[in-house]
């Protein structure tokens, strides 16, 4: 008997018998639809169902809209998209199809589309609608409609190169209003999202990174769920793991289940044909029938009890583009009940965090306050031991009293929340155990055997660390900065880091929007800038704040956050600031509840500092934390590292030590000088450094800010040579032409002592002028030549620019970093040259055997790479070595413009042959200006 007839016979018998049945799984399959005509084959497109028709929209190239009538089973073509539109999830809103977020252009450098585009199926026409905010444009995002709004999550900003984002936005299609919502826990692109029961589901996708040759490799295992009722993302745990990792997939919802189908990955050439369903109630995954043809870069549409899909690509990548359309009969509840389970929820559910991202743990403990009789900063000590389960690596991290856990917003001074911040460097499973000790002065003790243990709720737990989802300038994309062989380097990486940033204003944190911030007095000593009467406002940078950026108490903090955005946009990656200037020049920065009590800390102020510091880290800006200045060196414990200084350091370490890009600076102009006689001595400096090193679980670099010249500087530094708890110098130098020789001297002295120093050129003199505004010194010639290029060629690890004391926008009064825009550009040109073209960390200053003039600067990787800085009207001659056997050696020569930056250029000579007294030829375009000359040994065989 024919199987189909037999099946109909059996079903008829069951129905007549009063039984309920469902289609057996072996006959529940996708069927290819025999259609009249074909669609325009495409991929990275969108598929939308409306009024018994399917609309296939966009894709690579400018394509017509292919329309499939599900009743007549006929394809027709409608209007073309106005531009090339791909990587889209079009959605239906009030009988029109909205494309919110798309890419346009050719692989791999596609660009985000700047406007919302609407297609009207009834008139077969496209129109441009509202503009998308410039800083939220992307394609490859998940797009859904919910309660009259359109929601966009994830996506990528820079084609297939990089720029995958965790962004989450709400768009009102009627008004055009764009609202930024909390970022998703995991960044992703090349996926589709869906809504079930007032929750948004963002599952599958990848982190596309052609820039690291990982176009498809970084597929994502775990989904994210946003709860519209709570307005928060649910905690991502191991139960959110999908069975088949893939991107370029499509999704649809049926019977309150999320169904994921198709996609591509690097694990197979063929596009995925798996279709898998997730039940949000049971957290179980089920197999649905596989697609007849694996495909990616398309969508699903539901019409009259069937789910359809069409076109797409049959292999990973862009071809072959398919013409076929297939459909699946949607199942009833009984069919769903009998589906084979792929994966049940894990027996143990672990929350997820990401490598190099800070995990904040809150513990409910004793209720206390900042002013409690039992001082919570002195008489309590929270320690949390973290253990990496596979390697058994342990790290004990200090915690702190956090009031209600939301003090930045609430300004709370009391509560029962005790908090720790942990930044994991290893992937895999971790566990933790928290202990809160209490007792007289326990915060200053290392002996906890006599202390009581205060009760904490849920003091134990575990979590899973997955790879970071950052790919930009954020330190979270690279890891923790350490000092290595005289340079900055990322821990567990071969990548080095070169500093370039701002040294002013030193009272950066003397800002009007921080709680409890005020100025004690408006005066300054001779040789220093005088502060403004008012605290910093940074009003000029309010326009640099963008929607989605941090703020607190509705609109506070925006101008300071905007200023950080500006610096980062200029390529700057460091900012120097004091965390305490009581008795100092500004007299407006301290972590305490007031400037007289050094035992109690202002929780809300410090929480607001943390918001700014976190943003700086996300923008790749080093926290150069200067713990004191010369006027208050002996304010705490007469300069010793006694109880008050220990409390101060404890709080800084506990609250801010988790940050990846951070330097502890022992103090501005630390040590004796005739104008600053009330100073710390060598042993006190060593004690501070050793305390920071032994109590900072992350071992951040410890530097010392020097005096401006010898013998003051020499008398302080010489006894510190070989002392391993100080990693280097934050150099101050008054006469800028001496910068290279000073750096060479102290680099050599440190190396000879057995402990190399990292030296950064941080405060250039003279004190009254320093780095002037562009309006006074637009070209910054001597800074560029001596302090910038001269310092790096001499072996320095970077620069920061000090603004001096006697001009507007100085070291205390600066409100607008645009006043030195040219200086930032010059700094960025140098940074780019060294990071892109030479292994500067392997370079050494040239000897007289290479360059026998003092008017230029030279650095070398012996016999391989030479870099010369040639000043205007000073054509140099050099000596280039022969090969190891004495044969002539060929070298390639290129030129770089240190004033305007750009590409490496060719002069009149393309190559040089080894010898003495070699002329370098004429500069590009015969331009008589400063040049950087790069000479590399020719390795062509």
């Amino acid at each position: 008997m024919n199987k189909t007839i037999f099946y109909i016979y059996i079903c008829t018998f069951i129905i007549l018998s009063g039984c309920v049945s469902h289609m057996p799984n072996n006959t529940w399959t996708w069927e290819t639809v025999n259609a009249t005509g074909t669609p325009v084959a495409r991929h990275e497109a969108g598929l939308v169902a409306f009024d018994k028709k399917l609309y296939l929209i966009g894709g690579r190239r400018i394509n017509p809209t292919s329309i499939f009538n599900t009743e007549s089973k006929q394809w027709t073509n409608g209007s073309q998209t106005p531009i090339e539109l791909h990587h889209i999830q079009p959605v239906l809103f009030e009988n029109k199809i909205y494309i919110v977020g798309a890419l346009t252009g050719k692989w791999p450098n596609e660009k985000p589309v700047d406007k919302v585009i609407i297609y009207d199926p009834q008139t077969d026409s496209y129109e441009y609608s509202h503009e998308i905010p410039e800083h939220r444009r992307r394609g490859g995002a998940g797009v859904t409609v919910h309660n009259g709004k359109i929601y966009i999550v994830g996506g990528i900003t820079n084609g297939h190169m990089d720029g995958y984002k965790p962004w989450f936005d709400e768009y009102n299609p009627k008004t055009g209003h764009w609202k930024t919502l909390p970022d998703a826990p995991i960044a992703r692109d090349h996926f589709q999202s869906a809504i079930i029961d007032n929750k948004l589901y963002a599952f599958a996708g990848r982190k596309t990174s052609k820039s690291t040759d990982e176009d498809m490799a970084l597929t994502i295992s775990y989904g994210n769920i946003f709860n519209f009722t709570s307005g928060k993302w649910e905690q991502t745990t191991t139960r959110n793991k999908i069975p088949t990792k893939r991107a370029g997939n499509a999704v649809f919802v049926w019977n309150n289940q999320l169904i994921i189908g198709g996609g591509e990955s690097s694990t197979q050439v063929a596009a995925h044909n798996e279709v898998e369903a997730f039940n949000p109630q049971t957290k179980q995954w089920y197999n649905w029938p596989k697609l007849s043809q694996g495909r990616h870069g398309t969508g699903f549409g539901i019409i009259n009890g069937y789910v359809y899909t069409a076109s797409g690509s049959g292999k990973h990548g862009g071809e072959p583009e398919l013409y076929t359309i297939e459909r699946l009969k949607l199942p009833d509840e009984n069919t769903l009940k009998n589906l084979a389970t792929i994966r049940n929820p894990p027996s143990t559910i672990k929350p997820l965090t990401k490598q190099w991202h800070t995990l904040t743990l809150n513990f409910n403990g004793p209720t206390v306050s900042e002013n409690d009789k039992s001082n919570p900063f002195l008489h309590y000590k929270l320690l949390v031991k973290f253990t990496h389960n596979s390697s058994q690596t342990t790290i004990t991290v200090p915690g702190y009293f956090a009031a209600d856990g939301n003090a930045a917003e609430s300004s709370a001074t009391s509560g029962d929340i005790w908090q720790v911040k942990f930044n994991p460097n290893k992937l895999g499973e971790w566990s933790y155990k928290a202990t809160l000790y209490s007792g007289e002065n326990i915060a200053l003790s290392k002996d906890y055997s006599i202390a009581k243990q205060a009760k904490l709720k849920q003091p134990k737990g575990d979590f899973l660390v997955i790879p970071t989802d950052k790919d930009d300038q954020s330190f979270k994309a690279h890891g923790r900065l350490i000092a290595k062989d005289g340079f900055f380097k990322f821990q567990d990486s071969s990548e080095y880091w070169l500093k370039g940033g701002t040294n002013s204003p030193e009272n950066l944190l003397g800002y009007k929007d921080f709680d409890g911030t005020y100025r004690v007095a408006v005066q300054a000593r001779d040789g220093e800038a005088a502060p403004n009467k008012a605290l910093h406002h940074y009003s000029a940078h309010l326009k640099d704040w963008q929607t989605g950026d941090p703020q607190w108490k509705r609109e506070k903090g925006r101008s300071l956050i905007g200023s950080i955005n500006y610096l980062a946009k200029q390529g700057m990656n460091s900012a120097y600031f004091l965390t305490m200037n009581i008795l100092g020049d500004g007299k407006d920065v301290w972590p305490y509840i007031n400037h007289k009590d050094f035992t109690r800390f202002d929780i809300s102020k410090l929480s607001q500092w943390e918001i700014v510091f976190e943003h700086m880290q996300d923008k790749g800006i080093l926290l150069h934390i200067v713990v004191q200045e010369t006027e208050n060196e002996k304010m705490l414990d007469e300069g010793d590292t006694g109880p008050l200084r220990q409390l101060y350091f404890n709080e800084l370490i506990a609250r801010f030590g988790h940050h990846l890009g951070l330097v502890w600076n022992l103090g501005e102009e630390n040590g004796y000088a005739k104008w600053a006689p009330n100073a710390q001595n060598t042993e006190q400096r060593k004690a501070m450094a050793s305390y920071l090193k032994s109590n900072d679980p992350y071992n951040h670099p410890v530097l010392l800010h020097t005096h401006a010249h010898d013998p003051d500087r020499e008398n302080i530094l010489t006894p510190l040579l070989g002392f391993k708890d100080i990693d280097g110098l934050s150099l101050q130098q008054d006469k800028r032409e001496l910068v290279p020789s000073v750096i060479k001297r102290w680099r050599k002295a440190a190396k000879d002592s057995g402990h190399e120093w990292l030296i950064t050129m941080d405060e250039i003199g003279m004190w009254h002028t320093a780095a002037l505004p562009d309006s006074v010194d637009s070209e910054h010639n001597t800074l560029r030549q001596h302090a910038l290029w001269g310092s790096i060629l001499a072996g320095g690890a970077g620069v920061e620019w000090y603004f001096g004391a006697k001009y507007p926008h100085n070291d205390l009064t600066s409100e607008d970093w645009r006043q030195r825009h040219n200086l930032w550009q010059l700094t960025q040109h140098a940074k780019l040259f060294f990071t892109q073209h030479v292994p500067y960390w392997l370079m050494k200053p040239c000897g007289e055997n290479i360059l026998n003039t003092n008017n230029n600067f030279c650095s070398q990787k012996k016999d391989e790479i030479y870099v010369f800085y040639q000043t205007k009207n000073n054509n140099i001659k050099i000596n280039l070595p022969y090969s190891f056997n004495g044969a002539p050696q060929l070298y390639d020569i290129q030129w770089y413009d240190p004033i305007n930056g750009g590409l490496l250029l060719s002069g009149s000579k393309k190559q040089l042959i080894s010898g003495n007294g070699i002329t370098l030829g004429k500069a590009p375009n015969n331009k008589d200006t400063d040049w950087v000359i790069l000479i590399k040994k020719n390795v062509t065989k």
Side-chain angles (χ1 to χ4, degrees), residues 485-487 498 731 736-749 756-761 785-799 834 840-846 856-860 867 869:
D485 300 328
F487 293 95
L498 187 65
L731 181 66
R736 55 193 68 183
E737 64 273 13
L738 297 181
V739 167
S741 60
V742 171
I743 290 178
K744 290 176 188 177
R745 175 193 174 187
W746 289 108
R747 283 294 309 268
K748 182 180 185 304
E756 288 204 64
W757 274 351
L758 177 157
I759 303 178
T760 55
M761 181 60 255
Q785 294 164 353
H786 300 286
L788 178 56
W789 288 88
S791 71
I792 301 173
L793 290 171
V799 299
F834 283 104
Y840 62 89
W841 57 94
L842 300 176
M843 307 284 280
K844 305 294 182 185
C846 299
N856 298 277
F857 310 101
C858 173
S859 181
Q860 67 174 340
V867 178
Y869 192 99

Side-chain angles (χ1 to χ4, degrees), residues 632-645:
N632 58 29
E633 287 179 32
K634 301 191 75 173
M635 185 183 76
L636 301 179
D637 310 308
E638 287 298 313
D640 291 337
T641 303
L644 296 179
R645 193 176 302 274

Side-chain angles (χ1 to χ4, degrees), residues 24-41:
N25 286 339
N26 61 351
T27 60
W28 182 38
T29 60
W30 290 82
E31 59 175 324
T32 300
V33 179
N34 293 320
T36 301
T38 60
V40 174

Side-chain angles (χ1 to χ4, degrees), residues 384-388 393-397 422-423 425 430 697-698:
V384 185
K385 183 178 180 180
F386 293 88
T387 302
H388 186 251
T393 300
T394 63
I395 180 170
T396 300
V397 180
F422 175 61
N423 196 300
N425 67 319
W430 289 77
Y698 301 107

Side-chain angles (χ1 to χ4, degrees), residues 83-95:
I83 59 172
E84 183 180 17
L85 293 171
H86 44 75
H87 294 83
I88 57 178
Q89 185 181 1
V91 293
L92 189 67
F93 178 79
E94 294 188 350
N95 298 331

Side-chain angles (χ1 to χ4, degrees), residues 243-244 275-277 284-288 339-344:
T244 303
V275 181
E276 297 163 344
Q284 291 175 305
W285 285 91
Y286 302 92
N287 265 326
W288 275 40
L339 289 176
T341 303
I342 311 172
R343 180 177 296 154
N344 289 317

